Amino acid sequence: MATEERNIDDPALLAEQARENVEKAAADLRSQSLPIETEPPTVFTPPT
Amino acid sequence: MSRFATIAELARALRGRKVSAVELATETCDLLETLAPRYHALATLTRERALTEARAADRALARKAANPLTGIPYGAKDLLAARGAPTTWGAPPYRDQVIDMDATAIAKLKRAGAVLAAKLAMVELAGGGGYRYPSASLQGPGLNPWDRGRWSGGSSSGSASAVGAGLVPFALGSETSGSIGTPSAYCGVTGLRPTYGLVSRHGAMALSWTLDKIGPMARTAEDCAIVLEAIAGPDADDRTASGKRFRPLAARAAASAAKRARVGYAEEDVADHASTEGKAALAKGVAELRNIVPHFARATLPAMPFGPMVQTVYASEGASIFAELIEGPRFEELVDARQKAGLRASLEIKARDYLRAMRLRTTLIEAYAAIFTNVDVILTMGRAATATRVTQPLDLPPTAGGAVAQPTKRPGNTGMIAAGNLAGLPAIFFPCGFATDGLPVGLQLVGPPFSEALLVAIVAAYQGETGHHLKRPRD
């Protein structure tokens, strides 16, 4: 059975792909082992 | 004067009264007005401001109070605010935006005597949503001076094409992840991404507070150093500014440092990942560099998801910065449909994932520190392939030309642009020849934080022995 080809610039398709990208990135990040003591780098400086 | 003269050559001509700053500014504005539209490089011509600054430069020259940038015209990416001109951020919703101040980098260049001739085109919002087409800009697709059927690269599109086409001797660009490096590589210019915090971001559009950097794009490494010396340094208006200054090494120290430098390299970068068209020129460039800097050692980045890390960081920060735009009535005016979808989706990134990406940055910073105990710099390709066709969707495999080799099990340092940005490291991008399709290819050197002087010294030595940076496109 022939499948209907979707326009690659269809906004609904793009929205779906963008959501999938976010989910895929999150899965990649979560799959990395990370020691519990690892803190993020910070640029916060308390006022003097 | 040749329109491809370097800053140093122009400075000599100005000091020797062979040309006045007003003549140079007029010539530059005329060139920009005539030729920049061919490359979609121009956002706004700032002729009136340029002539005012040039007259001041001529007065300084007459008093013999000139420094290396006095009277030198330049362009600035339209992400930087400049008094008296619109600042569009390359995006239709901001087409009429006027930020009535000078970004710190522009104010510092003004104090150094440089002459702002133009605001230059860029990808809308620096491409933070993930655009599909080179046309994702208020000013249209950035066109490459070597072939107008090819893209100039982004997001500092106009900065690279204006320098590459000989319209300005230098330009300011900015990089969140690749926006100085990619257009420099594609257009055959020398671009310097400074260490995070070396150059104030005040007055620049923020896409990512923890990733954004502002840096020079020019004809030579030495010209980049002249500009960086002027724009680096403390700024009370940017709390992320390191307060450090930049000074290039003196000639003898630079030559010695370049010769002694230990270069980290992974041979699979070019062997396994360079495009068919670019491989020979890139391999030759590596061999040429090795003749000048002979101490090569193997160095590779750890296996980490650099793409998802950097994307998660800038998308989260960018979504917070642009939330009102994304949820407001003017959002649909953005050009690129994929970028719009990406920005909307970025609003949904979870805090846990943003913070995980940030914590992984700490691991990466530590990994780089370990690498830099064994080598002084890391060498890899600027880009694996030459400039993409203007009509090519950037997120899909090329249909013709510029084909990149299939990924192998040896990633080498192909993730260097994302990884280097995540770690806040400086990098210099420089041309090393031409691919078989006639387009420039280049290399990049990455060093530890605040190692710009060594990066410049090595590339200056390379450019002193080779002539790739002297090749010029035809109009």
Side-chain angles (χ1 to χ4, degrees), chain B residues 22-172:
Chain B
V22 166
E23 286 167 345
L24 197 53
T26 304
E27 206 174 290
T28 301
C29 288
D30 290 349
L31 259 179
L32 283 160
E33 197 165 49
T34 312
L35 294 180
R38 288 168 62 101
Y39 309 105
H40 297 157
L42 191 61
T44 307
L45 191 69
T46 55
R47 187 186 288 272
E48 202 177 312
R49 176 179 175 142
L51 291 173
T52 303
E53 291 180 342
R55 282 191 283 271
D58 278 331
R59 288 194 293 274
L61 285 156
R63 293 195 308 274
K64 300 203 180 307
N67 70 50
L69 285 172
T70 302
I72 307 293
Y74 75 101
K77 183 175 182 176
D78 202 24
L79 142 157
L80 292 155
R83 188 169 280 127
T87 301
T88 71
W89 299 343
Y94 300 99
R95 67 168 71 237
D96 300 318
Q97 174 173 253
V98 175
I99 304 172
D100 197 24
M101 58 168 279
D102 282 345
T104 296
I106 287 181
K108 287 188 176 200
L109 286 174
K110 185 181 169 77
R111 282 200 290 280
V115 171
L116 180 67
K119 306 287 293 297
L120 297 171
M122 60 180 280
V123 172
E124 57 181 358
L125 306 182
Y131 51 106
R132 168 160 287 164
Y133 295 106
S135 59
S137 171
L138 174 63
Q139 289 87 22
L143 305 184
N144 196 302
W146 294 93
D147 176 351
R148 288 191 296 139
R150 302 290 185 125
W151 187 34
S152 58
S155 66
S156 306
S157 315
S159 299
S161 52
V163 173
L167 311 183
V168 285
F170 79 92
L172 293 181

Side-chain angles (χ1 to χ4, degrees), chain B residues 166-220:
Chain B
L167 311 183
V168 285
F170 79 92
L172 293 181
S174 77
E175 173 149 329
T176 303
S177 185
S179 285
I180 288 176
T182 297
S184 293
Y186 284 179
C187 293
V189 307
T190 305
L192 202 166
R193 178 189 80 215
T195 305
Y196 176 82
L198 181 61
V199 177
S200 167
R201 297 177 296 112
H202 179 64
M205 183 201 90
L207 170 60
S208 168
W209 308 290
T210 67
L211 287 164
D212 296 343
K213 280 87 56 187
I214 292 158
M217 299 160 84
R219 309 207 192 294
T220 67

Side-chain angles (χ1 to χ4, degrees), chain B residues 336-411:
Chain B
D336 195 272
R338 184 172 185 267
Q339 166 123 286
K340 286 186 268 195
L343 286 167
R344 277 196 203 94
S346 298
L347 288 172
E348 308 306 323
I349 295 173
K350 292 182 169 63
R352 66 174 283 196
D353 295 319
Y354 171 73
L355 286 166
R356 191 155 188 95
M358 291 296 278
R359 291 171 66 212
L360 286 165
R361 283 177 86 171
T362 299
T363 306
L364 175 61
I365 288 166
E366 288 165 355
Y368 266 116
I371 291 171
F372 287 127
T373 60
N374 297 318
V375 299
D376 299 307
V377 295
I378 306 171
L379 173 70
T380 186
M381 302 175 286
R383 297 289 306 193
T386 54
T388 45
R389 293 180 193 282
V390 178
T391 51
Q392 168 70 42
L394 302 170
D395 59 319
L396 299 176
T399 47
V404 180
Q406 289 301 306
T408 67
K409 286 183 180 167
R410 299 194 305 167

Side-chain angles (χ1 to χ4, degrees), chain A residues 8-9 11 14-15 17-19 21-22 24-41 43-45, chain B residues 132-133 196 239-240 303-305 308-309 311-312 337-338 341-342 345 349-350 352-353 356-363 365 396:
Chain A
I8 62 163
D9 294 319
L14 288 169
Q17 289 171 339
R19 279 193 300 273
N21 281 346
V22 168
K24 169 80 170 53
D28 286 345
L29 298 174
R30 292 175 196 180
S31 71
Q32 297 290 303
S33 68
L34 196 55
I36 196 165
E37 66 274 15
T38 307
E39 293 185 12
V43 293
F44 172 74
T45 48
Chain B
R132 168 160 287 164
Y133 295 106
Y196 176 82
R239 287 193 297 167
T240 65
M304 293 178 79
M309 286 165 68
Q311 179 193 323
T312 300
R338 184 172 185 267
I349 295 173
K350 292 182 169 63
R352 66 174 283 196
D353 295 319
R356 191 155 188 95
M358 291 296 278
R359 291 171 66 212
L360 286 165
R361 283 177 86 171
T362 299
T363 306
I365 288 166
L396 299 176

